[in-house]
Amino acid sequence: MGLIVQKFGGTSVGSVEKIRNVAVCVKEETERGNNVVVVVSAMGKSTDTLVNLAKEISAQPNKREMDMLLTTGEQVTIALLSMAINQQGLEAVSFTGWQAGITTEPIHGNARISNINTTAIERQLTAGKVVIVAGFQGVTEDGEITTLGRGGSDTTAVALAAALDADKCDIYTDVTGVFTTDPRYVKSARKLLSVSYDEMLELANLGAGVLHPRAVEFAKNYQVRVEVRSSIEKIEGTVIEEEAAMEQNLVVRGVAFEDEITKVTVLGLANSLTSLATIFTTLAQNQINVDIIIQSTTEGGTANLSFSIQTLELLETLKVLEDNKTELGYDQIDAENKLAKVSIVGSGMISNPGVAAKMFAVLAENQIQIKMVSTSEIKVSAVVEEKNMLKAVEALHEAFELANN
Ligand code: ADP
Ligand code: ASP
Ligand code: MG
């Protein structure tokens, strides 16, 4: 008997009717002779609704209470799905993250899973039950409830698949697989049959919201076979695996993008050996995630430093820099908002020089100014003005021959 972990996202459990469909999908999997563990998200946009409720009460709600609030969303779905599966004539049992044995680090809002004790789940599977686990949540060693970051139910599913040594983890969602770019914005986006772990990790980290980046990390580290597929259309999805087949020898596999980026520039930074270490250590200690970094020295012997952050973190970043002005030793801070990051990803880049050059040429032809650049072996990212983001994505998608013919 095999073991399959199935995960259904918010849109796939957005109504009672959809929850019934999920129950049917679970039943079909058991009829293929498999044990099934199901991970679900909160119904529809209910996590957003909860976030908005909290914002009505406080601009900066207490993070512990925020986790207490947000985890209720998934708890609604697990109970309803368990009832729906019972209606299908199967036995099911629902578990919160804590009951499922999911321990996380003691951080609220964006905790990493540190351990999974599968004893309770395995006991129920042995008893012939379908086990339903609330996605996106865990508990610290001290018994505090935590969440894994927005979109984190994917991570619950893949981490459980790894811990239970499942045969496969199916991520059911509102698209039929991973596309060359977000099909919601680019109509010519094409579904990929397979994507490598490394490519998917880059795509997810660079803004392709179809999979939570940490889910891909778990999949890669524990070699979990993941398939992203539609909860409505019963067709083959996209398999995430070690080495993706080189479809049509494409150098670039996909285009990812992310808006709400801000470029912060620190002018007149003392050009000492330790200035960079001090500034980035200070930001890290305040949980500020810095992405692209550019440094240049001026004739006067000081340095100008630019780095990109998510706009959401701008106020906190400015505060940290202001609070530490004397220690850091700089003249002035500038911030440029309304930027976006557009990235091309593909493992074929390793052996094909000129990919970055082509990307810059395409952006130039489209009169799109590049504000910052970063590269790795398998990706090139460019920061552009937000208003040019989709134009850049479409032009690159076309130029790298990713579009549907
Ligand atoms: P779920 O609620 O099932 O977790 P999400 O909204 O988190 O669903 O993820 C699915 C969405 O991801 C799609 O509706 C799509 O708009 C978006 N997306 C972004 N990039 C891609 C991509 N490259 N391929 C497919 N979907 C993508
Ligand atoms: N419900 C959570 C969210 O909306 C987790 C998830 O859907 O994966 O972010
Ligand atoms: Mg999601």
Side-chain angles (χ1 to χ4, degrees), residues 86-135:
N86 286 334
Q87 287 295 111
Q88 291 292 324
L90 294 176
E91 277 196 277
V93 58
S94 65
F95 279 162
T96 62
W98 170 71
Q99 290 173 312
I102 300 175
T103 309
T104 74
E105 58 182 359
I107 286 181
H108 287 293
N110 199 16
R112 285 173 183 272
I113 294 176
S114 49
N115 183 48
I116 302 186
N117 179 343
T118 55
T119 317
I121 294 182
E122 273 167 316
R123 190 178 304 134
Q124 297 295 344
L125 289 175
T126 310
K129 292 190 189 165
V130 172
V131 180
I132 304 160
V133 180

Side-chain angles (χ1 to χ4, degrees), residues 173-222:
T173 182
D174 60 354
V175 281
T176 54
V178 178
F179 283 64
T180 46
T181 191
D182 190 337
R184 207 183 309 176
Y185 294 94
V186 180
K187 291 297 159 236
S188 60
R190 192 167 46 84
K191 188 174 88 183
L192 297 162
L193 290 178
S194 67
V195 184
S196 71
Y197 291 125
D198 287 332
E199 287 169 326
M200 194 63 234
L201 195 55
E202 289 281 15
L203 286 169
N205 271 318
L206 294 167
V210 63
L211 275 181
H212 195 235
R214 283 185 198 149
V216 190
E217 261 173 52
F218 266 104
K220 179 176 161 63
N221 291 344
Y222 296 92

Side-chain angles (χ1 to χ4, degrees), residues 9-62:
T11 43
S12 308
V13 293
S15 65
V16 165
E17 202 43 50
K18 287 184 172 171
I19 290 177
R20 282 205 191 101
N21 287 341
V22 169
V24 171
C25 192
V26 172
K27 188 176 185 202
E28 286 168 356
E29 196 63 75
T30 61
E31 285 168 353
R32 284 190 279 273
N34 291 312
N35 273 323
V36 184
V37 173
V38 193
V39 173
V40 282
S41 297
M43 289 173 71
K45 300 244 170 282
S46 58
T47 309
D48 291 334
T49 310
L50 294 171
V51 170
N52 290 335
L53 280 178
K55 277 193 194 148
E56 277 184 42
I57 291 192
S58 155
Q60 279 199 309
N62 177 289

Side-chain angles (χ1 to χ4, degrees), residues 340-351:
K341 186 167 72 170
V342 176
S343 311
I344 52 174
V345 173
S347 28
M349 275 181 212
I350 299 179
S351 48

